[in-house]
Amino acid sequence: MTTALAELAGALLAGQRRALAKAITLAESTRPEHEQQTQHLLTLLQGRAGPSIRVGLTGVPGVGKSTFIEALGVLLAEQGHRVAVLAVDPSSARTGGSIMGDKTRMPQLTVHPNAFIRPSPSGGTLGGVARRTRETTLLCEAAGYDVILVETVGVGQSETHVAGMTDLFVLLTLPNAGDELQGIKRGIMELADICVVNKADTAPRAAIRAQTELRTALTLLTPHDAPWRPVALKASAVTGEGIPELWKKVQEYISQVDIAAKRHQQTAGWFDELLREAAWREFRERTGPTRMQEVRRAVQAGDLTAVQGVEKLLSREAAQV
Ligand code: GDP
């Protein structure tokens, strides 16, 4: 197996698409031996990737994410960039469907030799999907992709995960910002480094108004000493207006923010998250669901305080070790 993995790593580093697809399938598998092989593969690939830009992209369904990614992706691929498009879609984790499953969503990019599109892994928890997307990012970078676009459906928790694995985060909104702004969760606005009013072609004046409103909102949300002041742009994914300007802003961001430091911090955060999950899983397995329920019921009934309940379970653990 070690030889097979070394061969896979070699083929992947040579930029072979099939090897990349195979490695991603391995990373998406939840079988313990595949998880182990994935970690081994990642170790073989460590430090072998060139420089890259990781961009997260979100917005409510219908805002134009796939059209936008198609326009941006084709622009970059034509410039010689190698573009990978990944997705984090918690609904696909639940339903088995996927926002990225339908290849017709990005017809030009799908067939471009410089692009690689991967649907959201289906099945598993949001945490699991996010973890696999992180690993897929590393695999794509090792295969020579220098622009990683991670799409997420702008409806909840997945944005925090994606912001934690990308260098910057782009929020797409619509020209009729009055209602739209209320629909955007404040938490998502706070994650945005660049906001883009898409579909500016449909309502040019409303788009300018929305841009101004966003600018004000972003100014209010951003601390004075922040290394980057989030910007609001307008664009049309259909006409292509504003897409080169967006990319210029991305480059500005990359030159102003210490990306290496940000990634180190993200890796440490990832470690914390994995450790928390693993420790919890181990504790739950060792304690057993019956015992946990028992103590929980005692807390609920008022026989124990919540703190006493926790202490009881933990000291039982300690006594066993
Ligand atoms: P998603 O759900 O966020 O991925 O949105 P889609 O990319 O599927 O776009 C939803 C609809 O809006 C499609 O019919 C697109 O053709 C259309 N659309 C997307 N961007 C624009 C734009 O900038 N201008 C116009 N006029 N239509 C757009």
Side-chain angles (χ1 to χ4, degrees):
M1 196 59 223
T2 314
T3 331
L5 277 182
E7 272 171 21
L8 182 60
L12 193 142
L13 286 168
Q16 284 178 25
R17 233 167 224 281
R18 277 188 52 191
L20 175 59
K22 197 171 157 185
I24 295 175
T25 304
L26 193 68
E28 287 178 353
S29 165
T30 47
R31 283 171 56 182
E33 70 268 30
H34 288 166
E35 284 181 1
Q36 241 178 13
Q37 286 164 11
T38 302
Q39 296 316 312
H40 188 80
L41 181 64
L42 288 171
T43 316
L44 292 175
L45 297 172
Q46 195 146 28
R48 304 290 302 272
S52 67
I53 303 180
R54 303 170 185 167
V55 183
L57 223 134
T58 195
V60 293
V63 73
K65 290 182 297 298
S66 30
T67 316
F68 197 89
I69 290 174
E70 161 108 327
L72 176 64
V74 168
L75 176 84
L76 298 175
E78 289 295 312
Q79 287 175 3
H81 285 288
R82 296 190 68 210
V83 183
V85 180
L86 314 177
V88 172
D89 176 9
S91 64
S92 84
R94 279 197 302 269
T95 63
S98 167
I99 50 165
M100 299 286 296
D102 180 6
K103 288 208 166 181
T104 60
R105 291 191 340 130
M106 299 175 194
Q108 285 186 60
L109 200 57
T110 304
V111 295
H112 201 292
N114 279 351
F116 181 85
I117 301 182
R118 186 77 182 185
S120 180
S122 56
T125 59
L126 168 60
V129 170
R131 170 180 165 179
R132 283 174 235 145
T133 305
R134 235 176 241 276
E135 291 173 345
T136 301
T137 297
L138 299 175
L139 294 171
C140 288
E141 287 170 351
Y145 289 87
D146 65 322
V147 177
I148 314 291
L149 304 176
V150 185
E151 176 185 4
T152 174
V153 283
V155 287
Q157 252 197 326
S158 49
E159 284 66 40
T160 321
H161 280 278
V162 173
M165 65 174 90
T166 50
D167 300 328
L168 81 162
F169 202 61
V170 177
L171 171 67
L172 295 189
T173 68
L174 292 167
N176 301 316
D179 299 328
E180 171 68 8
L181 263 183
Q182 325 221 336
I184 301 169
K185 297 210 174 78
R186 189 192 150 101
I188 295 182
M189 274 281 278
E190 280 170 352
L191 296 174
D193 299 298
I194 301 177
C195 284
V196 182
V197 182
N198 190 37
K199 302 196 186 181
D201 59 305
T202 60
R205 290 173 61 169
I208 293 173
R209 236 182 356 255
Q211 190 184 6
T212 312
E213 283 173 22
L214 273 172
R215 240 177 227 150
T216 311
L218 289 169
T219 308
L220 292 174
L221 283 173
T222 313
H224 289 296
D225 55 353
W228 169 258
R229 307 210 64 79
V231 291
L233 310 173
K234 62 187 174 64
S236 164
V238 165
T239 67
E241 173 211 333
I243 308 271
E245 287 74 13
L246 164 84
W247 192 245
K248 226 173 112 207
K249 280 292 169 200
V250 171
Q251 284 169 316
E252 236 173 73
Y253 177 94
I254 299 293
S255 67
Q256 278 185 31
V257 175
D258 186 345
I259 299 297
K262 184 167 180 176
R263 288 188 182 184
H264 287 146
Q265 225 174 35
Q266 288 175 334
T267 309
W270 185 16
F271 165 77
D272 291 344
E273 196 180 312
L274 290 179
L275 182 62
R276 225 179 355 253
E277 261 177 36
W280 169 241
R281 208 178 317 123
E282 199 179 302
F283 171 76
R284 208 174 37 191
E285 273 163 23
R286 260 196 293 162
T287 311
T290 320
R291 176 72 183 144
M292 281 173 79
Q293 256 321 318
E294 226 172 72
V295 176
R296 195 166 187 275
R297 260 192 232 110
V299 171
Q300 216 170 0
D303 299 337
L304 290 173
T305 67
V307 172
Q308 282 170 333
V310 171
E311 289 295 324
K312 202 172 174 74
L313 285 177
L314 286 177
S315 57
R316 188 179 128 93
E317 286 295 301
Q320 272 183 357
V321 172

